[in-house]
Amino acid sequence: MINIPKGTKDVLPQESYKWHYVENTAREVADLYCLNEIRTPTFEHTELFLRGVGETTDVVNKEMYTFLDKGERSITLKPEGTAGVARSFIENGLFNGAMPLKMYYITPVFRYENPQKGRLREHHQFGVEIYGGAGADTDAEVISLAHTLLTKLGLSVKLYINSMGCKECRTAYNSALKEYFKEKLSGLCPTCRERYEKNPLRILDCKEENCKNLCKDAPKITDYLCEDCGSHFNKLKQLLTLSGIEYKVNPFIVRGLDYYTKTVFEFVTTALGSQGTVCGGGRYDNLISQLGGNPTCGVGFGMGLERILMLMEAVGVEIPNKNGVELYIASMGDEAYKKAYEIVTALRKKGIKAEVDHAGRGIKAQFKYADKIGAKNVITLGDNELIGGLCRIKRMSDGEQKEIKIDEIVNYFG
């Protein structure tokens, strides 16, 4: 027997309605905020992620699925959605259209890491990207969209925000971090000792417990913001307050990707055990120019669907199952089956979910099958019903029965 690869998961037929509910709700909210869908390839040239995500990040250093194709080209399964959207924005000249350009995607992403709760090697993200909105109002809109979606899904999570500043403030802040960690190098993990030389900001993103403890008293980037970045961050806080969205400033949120500038944010829950991020994002004003395009500001987020579904289950959110069959027609004999098939076909043409036996079952077995597939109503057809032109509709929820003419079944349900 061939088993499923580690870190992947099947979505079974009896569970898929939950995914449909979350995905459809995400699409509805995106439409409410006037976003259109973009779909990018599952794999890209590796260089895209090296330049876009950052060579010093854990994603690039440890987690990417990278391979050589038959043409000896280095290809990577996408570990996140933003870089591919940025590449498409440049390559397809989307900057020539109406700006700001507001997009969303629902996509699988791939990261080679130790599987954990809600985080698989293949998982799925709902993501939002807005290009061309430079003000804090765009940041607030993206956060508001995420907040609206999480609320519609029945979830209550905490919002944490921070500012990563710009290149100028980041330079001063990195110097302060290097000074702070200089006497603590021996206590850092080997990876963070490398980060100290290449990108000390990444130390704040380390998941090692000892490194996290050493970071507690580190300088705060919010103390190093230039006038423009400070003003942008203050405006964001004002707009979130006006929107009625509660938040807390966490100066140690730096996110795991190098392209962020100014605003970063996370929606966090403790309902899955330890504190976990269910949605994270921010502003990335330099990403397009890093990838060879004309300087264009951007802001967005990624939301893990597996983690969202786990959280909904953990807090007891009931997801409506609309997969039930409206009518099942149980039949006895060839002529009755032909009539049942004719009625079911007519109902389907009217958009009514109806089913008939396909396995040559006896009448009792057909009723058991109807119950298993969640049929709301069952009609039994046999020779007596065909001769009399009448049948009974049985409502499965309470057993109530109603007599109806066979010729009126389609109109009754349609």
Side-chain angles (χ1 to χ4, degrees), residues 181-190 193 196 210-211 214:
F181 285 113
K182 184 167 64 175
E183 303 301 325
K184 300 174 175 62
L185 278 175
S186 61
L188 296 174
C189 70
R193 286 199 288 273
Y196 177 82
N210 197 48
C211 293
L214 289 174

Side-chain angles (χ1 to χ4, degrees), residues 140 231-244 247:
S231 174
H232 187 102
F233 194 46
N234 287 332
K235 181 72 177 295
L236 171 64
K237 291 187 280 187
Q238 292 169 10
L239 292 171
L240 291 176
T241 300
L242 283 173
S243 301
Y247 66 88

